[in-house]
Amino acid sequence: MKIWLTRLFLTNKRLFRTYSFLVLLLMIPLTAVSLSFISTADKGVVTIAVSAKDGEESSQKGTDPAVGDVLKRLKEHTSIIRFLEKQSAEEAIRAAARGQADAAWVFSPDYNAALALSAEGRPQIIAEVYTKEDTVFMRLAREKLFAAVYPDLSRRIFRSFIAGTMGEIPDDDFLKYYSLEASEKSLVRFSFTDSVFQPEAAVRGDYLLFPVRGLLSVLIFAAGIAAAVFYAQDEKNGCFTWLSGTGKHSMLLCYTGSAVFWTGAFSLLALKLTGTSVSALYELLLMLLYGVSVTALCGILLKILRKAEYLTILLPAAILLILALCPVFLNFRTFRVFSRLLPAFHYLHAVGSAGYARSLLLTAVGYAFADLAAAWLLSKLHILSGRKI
Amino acid sequence: MRGSASGLLTYFRLQGKRILRLLPAILLVTAVLAGAVLLVGRSFFLSDAGSDSRKSVRIGIVGDYDDPMLSLALTALKNLDTSRFAVSLEPMEENAAVSNLRQGKLQAYIVIPEGFYDSVNYYRNDVQITYVSTDGAVGIGTVMINEIAQAVGALLLESENAVFGMQSYASDHFSDRFTPQEISDLGVQMTMRYGSAVFSRDALFRIHETGLADSLSFRGYYICAFILLFLLLSAIPFSPLHADRDDSLFRLLRLRGISPLAQVFAEYLAFAFTVLLFMLPALAAGGLLIGAAGLSVPEFGASAVREMLSLFPACVFAVLTVCGFQFLLYEVFSGAVPGILIQVLTALSAAYITGCFYPAGYFPERMQAAAEFLPAGTARILLENRLLGISGGKAVLRALLWTLLCLLLAALTRRIRMKAASGLLFRDERRSEG
């Protein structure tokens, strides 16, 4: 035990010998916090330029209150759709043409009249939509537009239906009966499958911060590889000639484990500071399992590749594979068999799924066992071949 | 001066020889890296997200299909509602829905429990629809759908309350005219009116597709992004050369008349030239893959290989500026672990904020402007300008200025480190000169 602690101490001393490693560790939460700060600014996956007025003629009439209400509803809740209010249709269309917006929505100057006719079953155009490409996101954005228009439409349907069956409803009665609530309960509840933490709402967090955890998991893996490279260089320089095979394996574990530990610790801090972490205990547990998996995997890779140069060759490709096969930005369905070999795949899914937490545990145990077995086998082979360990 | 120049050339040749020794490894890594980028690109373009979002999102429906109301509603949604072009509703059992959701084949699924219709009909709302999604962190599409689901929930509730309000009004003021059954029937009629309004909502908007004009297509944009990603990661394999610095060698070179600035230039030129050399086969391989996969890129002509190779002139300046920045990082962060990690951290951060993963338009405007100004962003602009056929002199100038700045800072760092490592050496030099 004392030997282990001594080796750990010496390894960490070596890592922190130059300021570079400490500066790098501090940069992890700093970068994450900067991104968190940036994400508070006005932004959107889809940007829509909305015009409430239509040219000079409307400037004297002013903004139609009904259209103004629609705009307020569109901007009411935090959304991944961003709305830019423009003074005229030409401005909105120009914004879309120049790429400042993905589309322009120009409300009809006869919005109220069009809505009244639509409520009677004769749909009229209430808005012109100008877009470069009518993608799924554009169509889904129009669903939001309809949801924002719907209260106006619903009131008109209500009034029109009653007028057609019972006669015109007085304004007082309209206000009273339209605002009646059938029930306080919502018709829809939201759930996340197999989730450890159930949401209060369907949408959580800021989309710009979603990839932070994935990118940090890549960085932790890179730390393990970099430490393995460091170890390989030291071994080549003869730093460990006095150690047996198992001794060398323990040194490798100290190198990779230390680098992974510190990077993981600062990553946890980054997650906390950006508000993307869940329960502290659960995060610690997941990071521990992930750290063990990565440490063991880096040990296995070094044993297979043997040289530091090959590890540095592998690293960029490995980074890309993690980005492609793990749910960092997108959830690709291809090559799922290979995804499951990556600890990051299980780690990233485990945040929202207890099932994947179990698979992360199995991965950690599996890789740790494989690493130990490989170390034992190599030491035996060296003995059998008569080579100095 | 002549001695310094010949010393510089010698050092440059030495750097070239060092790189040549690593050439097989670098060639291998370039091939592996290019293959990985192409694999990512291929997966991306062929995935739902990368198929230029013309495909619809898939949502499972779980419920009692013997219930006539559910069947009717589902049929209506699938055949009448305009959302069928954006959302694909697929009936299935709950086990299959959970499995498909976990595998990413569905964005979400909706569970309509038994008794839902009666619960709504009698305004109890004690049986709720459950909208089940995965954690929103796995995709923007999921987040978008979740937002729409919230809006739809509010819409349903508003309609229900309106029908309830109408029936209450009828009960309170026209109980002599309508029987309870007739009031109930009015409720059904009103619900159908609302349903009709919802189904015909697309008729409320007139769509004008204006075309791409002077902006890149989705695929054109990501071709530039993946080239930039390749560039940003290409410095990592050079870490055996640059991460571990030999300060004693630098001091020796200084004594031989090769200044820190000259040393830096020689090393940088060898580094940048090697990266540039491997851009050609990487671009050609990209073109071959695009052609083989049959991916149509609006900005490309008949030959994808030729079009990719035509990006090479822009790659020259992109390589110069990105490699300059990477070289500076190697100079500032010494040691194998920090040297590699800083390259990974900056590569990932730069790739993220310059739009290699999420499109740049997803970020706040100020962030976009700042990112375009940085070396990686400048490199992306250079590639995009070339693809669009825009001259872009400003971007070229910015690239060259960044390169110069990075190299000057690298030289300054080296000079400071050399002085710190052996301040006595230079003091002795000055004494002997004096």
Side-chain angles (χ1 to χ4, degrees):
Chain A
M1 186 67 168
K2 195 179 169 190
I3 294 174
W4 270 94
L5 287 171
T6 308
R7 286 174 183 172
L8 265 174
F9 172 73
L10 290 172
T11 311
N12 279 279
K13 198 175 157 195
R14 210 161 144 57
L15 274 176
F16 285 98
R17 193 183 58 178
T18 59
Y19 66 88
S20 305
F21 188 60
L22 183 61
V23 169
L24 184 81
L25 288 176
L26 291 171
M27 279 178 69
I28 296 172
L30 195 66
T31 309
V33 165
S34 304
L35 186 62
S36 176
F37 180 70
I38 289 163
S39 71
T40 57
D42 189 30
K43 66 190 181 298
V45 168
V46 168
T47 301
I48 312 283
V50 186
S51 166
K53 295 179 187 176
D54 188 18
E56 290 295 324
E57 295 167 1
S58 309
S59 63
Q60 285 164 21
K61 293 180 200 172
T63 308
D64 188 320
V67 173
D69 287 342
V70 172
L71 293 176
K72 268 190 213 152
R73 281 182 221 123
L74 284 172
K75 289 180 167 182
E76 208 170 29
H77 301 291
T78 308
S79 170
I80 59 173
I81 303 173
R82 181 170 155 241
F83 298 99
L84 297 175
E85 204 170 328
K86 297 293 180 186
Q87 295 303 308
S88 68
E90 286 78 23
E91 237 183 274
I93 294 166
R94 215 171 18 244
R98 283 182 183 168
Q100 291 164 359
D102 297 294
W105 292 346
V106 179
F107 285 93
S108 163
D110 304 314
Y111 173 77
N112 285 308
L115 214 55
L117 285 169
S118 303
E120 287 171 16
R122 288 179 283 162
Q124 303 292 307
I125 303 293
I126 60 164
E128 309 279 344
V129 174
Y130 298 87
T131 178
K132 284 181 184 170
E133 287 179 285
D134 197 26
T135 61
V136 165
F137 273 147
M138 288 299 129
R139 287 183 219 138
L140 292 176
R142 285 201 296 281
E143 299 295 348
K144 283 213 81 166
L145 173 59
F146 179 73
V149 167
Y150 193 75
D152 296 335
L153 183 64
S154 172
R155 285 192 194 93
R156 283 168 175 78
I157 292 174
F158 181 84
R159 201 185 267 278
S160 161
F161 185 84
I162 290 176
T165 51
M166 298 169 236
E168 287 292 335
I169 180 171
D171 288 345
D172 289 345
D173 281 342
F174 171 80
L175 287 170
K176 178 186 166 190
Y177 285 97
Y178 188 79
S179 57
L180 278 179
E181 283 182 358
S183 168
E184 286 177 358
K185 295 178 193 170
S186 173
L187 287 168
V188 182
R189 75 177 189 95
F190 295 91
S191 175
F192 284 77
T193 184
D194 197 25
S195 179
V196 178
F197 306 98
Q198 289 296 330
E200 288 172 2
V203 183
R204 316 190 277 181
D206 191 300
Y207 67 87
L208 280 187
L209 298 178
F210 287 163
V212 167
R213 186 183 294 275
L215 292 173
L216 289 172
S217 69
V218 171
L219 194 67
I220 293 168
F221 175 75
I225 294 285
V229 167
F230 193 26
Y231 167 83
Q233 286 173 345
D234 282 350
E235 195 195 13
K236 192 177 170 188
N237 292 337
C239 294
F240 311 121
T241 48
W242 50 280
L243 284 175
S244 65
T246 46
K248 283 183 185 175
H249 179 68
S250 72
M251 280 310 299
L252 172 59
L253 281 178
C254 288
Y255 271 67
T256 50
S258 299
V260 166
F261 171 80
W262 288 110
T263 321
F266 277 80
S267 297
L268 280 176
L269 177 63
L271 290 172
K272 184 71 187 168
L273 291 173
T274 53
T276 52
S277 65
V278 290
S279 140
L281 200 59
Y282 193 61
E283 286 282 6
L284 272 171
L285 177 67
L286 291 184
M287 186 58 75
L288 183 68
L289 292 175
Y290 182 60
V292 167
S293 313
V294 167
T295 304
L297 180 58
C298 292
I300 292 169
L301 288 172
L302 181 60
K303 287 174 183 70
I304 295 170
L305 297 174
R306 308 299 290 158
K307 283 189 177 178
E309 290 82 11
Y310 295 151
L311 275 175
T312 55
I313 288 169
L314 174 74
L315 183 57
I319 288 170
L320 282 172
L321 284 174
I322 293 173
L323 292 175
L325 300 177
C326 300
V328 180
F329 294 99
L330 295 166
N331 205 6
F332 293 142
R333 296 198 294 274
T334 49
F335 308 115
R336 276 283 163 147
V337 168
F338 297 106
S339 299
R340 291 182 193 283
L341 293 174
L342 298 168
F345 177 81
H346 302 275
Y347 170 65
L348 294 173
H349 277 300
V351 179
S353 166
Y356 277 104
R358 287 188 284 273
S359 68
L360 180 61
L361 172 63
L362 285 173
T363 307
V365 168
Y367 274 127
F369 180 74
D371 186 36
L372 285 170
W376 177 82
L377 191 65
L378 278 174
S379 67
K380 289 295 174 198
L381 284 174
H382 284 154
I383 288 170
L384 285 172
S385 68
R387 267 186 281 169
K388 224 177 164 181
I389 296 163
Chain B
M1 189 68 170
R2 193 184 291 174
S4 295
S6 70
L8 173 61
L9 276 171
T10 307
Y11 187 53
F12 174 69
R13 277 201 295 270
L14 277 171
Q15 287 303 306
K17 279 185 182 173
R18 280 183 85 199
I19 288 178
L20 275 173
R21 260 204 351 256
L22 282 179
L23 198 63
I26 292 170
L27 189 63
L28 181 63
V29 76
T30 307
V32 170
L33 192 55
V37 169
L38 294 172
L39 178 70
V40 170
R42 183 180 180 278
S43 298
F44 183 79
F45 285 130
L46 295 180
S47 74
D48 286 342
S51 59
D52 207 2
S53 37
R54 290 272 175 184
K55 284 188 186 170
S56 54
V57 293
R58 298 174 66 209
I59 296 184
I61 299 280
V62 176
D64 178 12
Y65 302 109
D66 292 334
D67 186 328
M69 294 309 296
L70 175 62
S71 289
L72 179 66
L74 200 57
T75 306
L77 279 170
K78 286 180 80 171
N79 297 309
L80 299 176
D81 193 54
T82 49
S83 66
R84 68 187 184 276
F85 300 113
V87 178
S88 168
L89 297 171
E90 299 178 22
M92 57 184 66
E93 297 298 321
E94 190 160 9
N95 291 342
V98 171
S99 169
N100 283 331
L101 185 63
R102 282 196 184 133
Q103 288 170 39
K105 292 177 183 171
L106 293 178
Q107 299 280 46
Y109 67 88
I110 298 170
V111 180
I112 306 177
E114 206 178 316
F116 173 71
Y117 173 73
D118 286 336
S119 167
V120 171
N121 201 29
Y122 295 110
Y123 304 114
R124 290 193 306 263
N125 289 11
D126 51 4
V127 179
Q128 292 172 305
I129 292 175
T130 305
Y131 176 85
V132 186
S133 177
T134 56
D135 191 290
V138 299
I140 298 280
T142 306
V143 177
M144 174 74 101
I145 278 289
N146 290 355
E147 269 192 31
I148 303 299
Q150 269 190 317
V152 168
L155 198 146
L156 283 173
L157 197 60
E158 177 127 20
S159 311
E160 187 195 28
N161 289 340
V163 171
F164 178 71
M166 181 279 295
Q167 289 179 321
S168 300
Y169 178 70
S171 295
D172 292 347
H173 293 89
F174 297 95
S175 55
D176 53 338
R177 195 167 137 191
F178 298 112
T179 64
Q181 182 57 46
E182 283 169 338
I183 291 174
S184 174
D185 290 343
L186 282 175
V188 173
Q189 285 174 37
M190 196 178 187
T191 304
M192 300 293 278
R193 177 86 79 89
Y194 274 113
S196 172
V198 169
F199 282 144
S200 59
R201 63 192 181 281
D202 251 21
L204 299 176
F205 315 113
R206 183 153 43 212
I207 318 295
H208 307 266
E209 275 197 61
T210 56
L212 292 167
D214 60 352
S215 55
L216 282 176
S217 68
F218 183 84
R219 286 179 180 172
Y221 174 88
Y222 271 103
I223 282 170
C224 296
F226 286 137
I227 292 172
L228 177 61
L229 186 59
F230 173 85
L231 258 183
L232 287 168
L233 293 173
S234 63
I236 297 171
F238 288 85
S239 58
L241 283 178
H242 297 295
D244 242 341
R245 297 299 173 124
D246 187 355
D247 289 339
S248 56
L249 173 63
F250 301 146
R251 291 199 297 275
L252 183 63
L253 291 168
R254 175 73 181 85
L255 287 171
R256 294 287 178 92
I258 303 174
S259 68
L261 187 63
Q263 292 169 28
V264 157
F265 264 99
E267 289 168 27
Y268 162 76
L269 283 173
F271 171 39
F273 181 72
T274 313
V275 172
L276 200 55
L277 205 60
F278 289 111
M279 283 303 296
L280 277 167
L283 288 171
L288 280 170
L289 184 79
I290 290 169
L295 284 171
S296 72
V297 182
E299 290 82 3
F300 279 10
S303 168
V305 174
R306 197 180 321 140
E307 297 291 348
M308 286 292 281
L309 288 173
S310 73
L311 292 172
F312 187 74
C315 286
V316 171
F317 296 101
V319 164
L320 287 178
T321 189
V322 170
C323 286
F325 184 64
Q326 290 165 337
F327 189 86
L328 172 62
L329 289 176
Y330 272 132
E331 195 62 39
V332 172
F333 289 86
S334 57
V337 175
I340 292 172
L341 279 184
I342 194 64
Q343 294 292 341
V344 173
L345 180 62
T346 48
L348 291 177
S349 306
Y352 185 46
I353 63 171
T354 52
C356 290
F357 305 120
Y358 288 159
Y362 282 19
F363 292 86
E365 274 179 15
R366 281 190 193 171
M367 184 66 229
Q368 289 178 49
E372 281 178 10
F373 184 76
L374 296 173
T378 305
R380 201 197 88 223
I381 298 295
L382 285 164
L383 292 167
E384 287 181 0
N385 285 347
R386 181 73 191 175
L387 201 56
L388 285 169
I390 299 170
S391 59
K394 269 190 199 169
V396 171
L397 186 63
R398 202 161 60 235
L400 291 172
L401 286 173
W402 268 119
T403 308
L404 194 62
L405 178 67
C406 289
L407 294 179
L408 287 173
L409 286 173
L412 183 65
T413 309
R414 181 168 297 190
R415 193 176 147 84
I416 291 170
R417 276 183 36 211
M418 279 162 58
K419 273 196 174 176
S422 60
L424 279 172
L425 177 67
F426 293 102
R427 211 182 302 152
D428 285 345
E429 274 185 356
R430 281 196 290 275
R431 263 200 218 132
S432 64
E433 282 164 14

